[in-house]
Amino acid sequence: MFYLKFKRCYDFICAFLGLLLLSPIYLIIIISIKIDSKGPILFKQKRVGKNKVHFNVYKFRTMRIDTPANTPTHLLENPNQWITKVGKFLRKTSLDEIPQLINILKGNMSFVGPRPALWNQYDLIEERDKYGVHKLLPGITGWAQVNGRDKLLITDKAKLDGEYLKHLNLWTDIKLFIKTFIVVFKSDGVVEGGTGTLEKKQKNHQK
């Protein structure tokens, strides 16, 4: 598909420029993380990429170093207890995602696409298989992120990712990118542990 090749080109150029232009912000975040808590600046985690090939996604560390490994936030008992003070701000503003510009340069992510699932999020992976979503590079933002984010159930997230695949074009990517800034500014859909909480409420309601 021609657009995917074009998409890769502008992803690379924009990621390279982004790393240069945002370098002052990186410095402020790095200093804040080091002052706030012990541990490394960056956090890397195995995720599911294009064609379900695993890769390490990069983020600014927002959680304590003793947080249970490879556990989705919504499956943690009281997730807020593991998040650092600086981490809460970074997650709320999505600034923790900035290091994924490195992932874009490496070719295992895009600016827009389905958010990469953890390697052991089998329910999400299985749902996405139904829509052929794994043929795409995962993105920093995506259709599900601007239409509910943490509030969405797994099935709804996968369905929205499938809708993105159906309407994949430059105009869709531009709209999603612009809408992402609006959603981040308003903090829409940011609920730590939201996915699990909503699914539990739904199950309890059905009993």
Side-chain angles (χ1 to χ4, degrees), residues 20-53:
L20 292 178
L21 296 174
L22 295 174
S23 54
I25 296 178
Y26 298 158
L27 183 59
I28 295 173
I29 293 175
I30 287 170
I31 293 173
S32 299
I33 291 173
K34 292 304 292 183
I35 292 175
D36 184 44
S37 63
K38 295 180 180 179
I41 300 298
L42 291 179
F43 167 76
K44 66 179 183 179
Q45 191 175 55
K46 188 164 68 173
R47 298 290 183 109
V48 179
K50 182 178 179 180
N51 298 320
K52 293 199 279 192
V53 175

Side-chain angles (χ1 to χ4, degrees), residues 132-160:
V133 172
H134 292 111
K135 66 177 66 175
L136 296 172
L137 283 173
I140 292 180
T141 187
W143 199 256
Q145 277 58 55
V146 300
N147 285 284
R149 194 172 171 174
D150 298 327
K151 293 180 179 179
L152 296 173
L153 302 174
I154 293 296
T155 51
D156 294 330
K157 285 183 178 181
K159 186 176 181 180
L160 285 168

Side-chain angles (χ1 to χ4, degrees), residues 87-198:
K88 289 179 181 178
F89 173 76
L90 294 178
R91 292 165 77 98
K92 185 176 181 179
T93 58
S94 294
L95 288 173
D96 60 317
E97 311 284 357
I98 291 178
Q100 285 162 46
L101 292 175
I102 299 171
N103 287 114
I104 294 177
L105 290 177
K106 292 176 68 174
N108 44 37
M109 283 189 72
S110 175
F111 274 103
V112 182
R115 283 296 297 161
L118 273 167
W119 65 272
N120 58 355
Q121 280 185 287
Y122 304 116
D123 51 353
L124 178 56
I125 295 169
E126 184 178 349
E127 282 295 320
R128 283 178 169 173
D129 277 337
K130 298 176 182 178
Y131 302 97
V133 172
H134 292 111
K135 66 177 66 175
L136 296 172
L137 283 173
I140 292 180
T141 187
W143 199 256
Q145 277 58 55
V146 300
N147 285 284
R149 194 172 171 174
D150 298 327
K151 293 180 179 179
L152 296 173
L153 302 174
I154 293 296
T155 51
D156 294 330
K157 285 183 178 181
K159 186 176 181 180
L160 285 168
D161 290 332
E163 286 296 313
Y164 170 70
L165 177 59
K166 286 182 181 179
H167 301 92
L168 180 61
N169 56 54
L170 179 59
W171 178 234
T172 297
D173 279 357
I174 291 174
K175 286 194 295 183
L176 284 176
F177 200 70
I178 293 173
K179 192 171 182 180
T180 295
F181 284 99
I182 297 173
V183 169
V184 170
F185 180 76
K186 295 170 64 178
S187 296
D188 280 353
V190 180
V191 182
E192 295 300 345
T195 302
T197 301
L198 289 175

